[in-house]
Amino acid sequence: MRMGVAIRRFAIPGFVHSLYHLVAGRAIVSPRAELEWSRGLRIGRKSQISSFVKIKASEGPVSIGQRTDIGCGVFIAGHRHGIVIGDDCLISPNVSIIGVNYRYDRADRPIREQGLQSGGPTRIGNNVWIGAGAVILDASLIEDGAIITPNAVVSGHVPANAIMSGNPAKLVFTRR
Amino acid sequence: MTIDALLALIGEIIETDPARIDPTMDREEIAGWDSLAHLRIVTAFEEAYGVRLSMEQIVEIRTVQQLSRMLEEV
């Protein structure tokens, strides 16, 4: 881990993040959330970040819209192409939003030595509800009004107002 | 459409013997008929019978009997 990343990640106490985001954008960030001090991290007005949330924004931007709630234990890992979460979203506890993948092209080398790759930005629209424990993989696009049921695994495109369930997540119903 | 055909469709979705589903029983009392299964049942029902229910109608459905009656209403 680079020194700069380590400092941003560990050296700034949680209450400093809480105070900064409260003053800057009226966002409520738990002092027990683990945020990186990064220009790439943007939290919109009146959003809430609960305890034990971890957001990595050193390798790429992470943008959270307005009035969006991020539940306990959510893990958000931004990378080169970034992660965008829209307004009025409900992200339930223990959701993982991963904006990157390990490369595994060569079977003769350890996966950890092959580096990382991202297929594109990971985008979550407005008014999206993601159920507890769901996993949103790199380069996913979840359009406005969609619902992801608990423990679903999403990769790819989720149309607007879709209700998706399972691993891999499949369309169950379209809200009307 | 017979109630039996509807029970067979629902039984397949909630993985229950259709003979064990009482058409007058509230869906909350039927094992496996949770909110997600409800949406799956409605989708299968719409596809099978070529109808489209409104969100209000979908929420209103509490029993198999009510679902069967929907066919006459739409």
Side-chain angles (χ1 to χ4, degrees), chain A residues 35-89:
Chain A
L35 272 53
E36 285 179 351
W37 198 263
S38 161
R39 283 184 190 165
L41 176 61
R42 197 188 72 78
I43 300 174
R45 290 172 73 82
K46 297 185 178 175
S47 284
Q48 294 193 39
I49 311 292
S50 302
S51 308
F52 312 116
V53 168
K54 178 159 182 149
I55 302 177
K56 294 167 84 171
S58 293
E59 307 295 330
V62 173
S63 171
I64 297 168
Q66 299 182 39
R67 302 172 301 279
T68 283
D69 288 355
I70 309 283
C72 295
V74 168
F75 176 57
I76 301 173
H79 199 64
R80 192 159 52 95
H81 295 294
I83 291 174
V84 178
I85 301 172
D87 300 334
D88 300 300
C89 290

Side-chain angles (χ1 to χ4, degrees), chain B residues 1-3 5-11 13 21 23-25 27 30 33 37-49 51-54 57-74:
Chain B
M1 182 206 53
T2 64
I3 283 274
L6 201 48
L7 286 171
L9 184 142
I10 293 165
I13 291 166
I21 306 170
T24 60
M25 195 185 273
R27 64 178 155 99
I30 299 171
W33 195 333
H38 187 63
L39 296 177
R40 285 198 173 107
I41 288 166
V42 168
T43 304
F45 174 80
E46 288 181 334
E47 280 172 10
Y49 301 108
V51 293
R52 188 174 165 87
L53 307 181
S54 68
Q57 286 173 313
I58 292 168
V59 173
E60 239 172 55
I61 298 161
R62 304 296 315 176
T63 66
V64 178
Q65 216 167 44
Q66 275 181 331
L67 185 59
S68 165
R69 264 190 244 126
M70 286 289 171
L71 266 186
E72 295 152 24
E73 290 175 22
V74 292

Side-chain angles (χ1 to χ4, degrees), chain A residues 149 163 165 172-173 175-176, chain B residues 36 39-40 43 46 53 58:
Chain A
T149 65
I163 298 179
S165 180
V172 173
F173 187 77
R175 297 168 65 213
R176 48 188 78 159
Chain B
L36 200 55
L39 296 177
R40 285 198 173 107
T43 304
E46 288 181 334
L53 307 181
I58 292 168

Side-chain angles (χ1 to χ4, degrees), chain A residues 102-114:
Chain A
Y102 285 105
R103 295 185 69 113
Y104 53 90
D105 318 1
R106 293 183 57 180
D108 61 334
R109 286 184 60 193
I111 295 168
R112 63 175 297 136
E113 290 177 5
Q114 296 185 44

